[in-house]
C-alpha cells in the first residue's frame, strides 16, 4: 500500500509540473491523502499480538 501511495503522489507532482488542470492535480492529491489516512488508521487501530 505504501508503494501505491508513493506512485499516486509522484503522479500528482508530475501532473502539477506538466501544468495539467487544477482539477486533475487536486483529485490525485485528495486520493493520495485518503489512502494515506486509511493506511494510518489501519496501523493505529491494528492489534500488536505480542506474547511475553
Amino acid at each position: 500500500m505504501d508503494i501505491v501511495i508513493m506512485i499516486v503522489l509522484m503522479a500528482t507532482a508530475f501532473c502539477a509540473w506538466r501544468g495539467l488542470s487544477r482539477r486533475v492535480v487536486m483529485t490525485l492529491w485528495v486520493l493520495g491523502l485518503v489512502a494515506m489516512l486509511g493506511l494510518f488508521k489501519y496501523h493505529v487501530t491494528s492489534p500488536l499480538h505480542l506474547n511475553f
Side-chain angles (χ1 to χ4, degrees), residues 4-45:
V4 173
I5 294 170
M6 289 297 143
I7 290 170
V8 169
L9 293 177
M10 176 101 74
T12 303
F14 183 73
C15 289
W17 179 65
R18 296 284 294 171
L20 267 64
S21 71
R22 191 174 291 190
R23 175 180 250 183
V24 171
V25 173
M26 288 304 294
T27 301
L28 285 172
W29 187 83
V30 168
L31 180 67
L33 179 68
V34 168
M36 186 262 318
L37 290 173
L39 184 64
F40 180 75
K41 182 181 180 294
Y42 170 75
H43 282 300
V44 167
T45 59

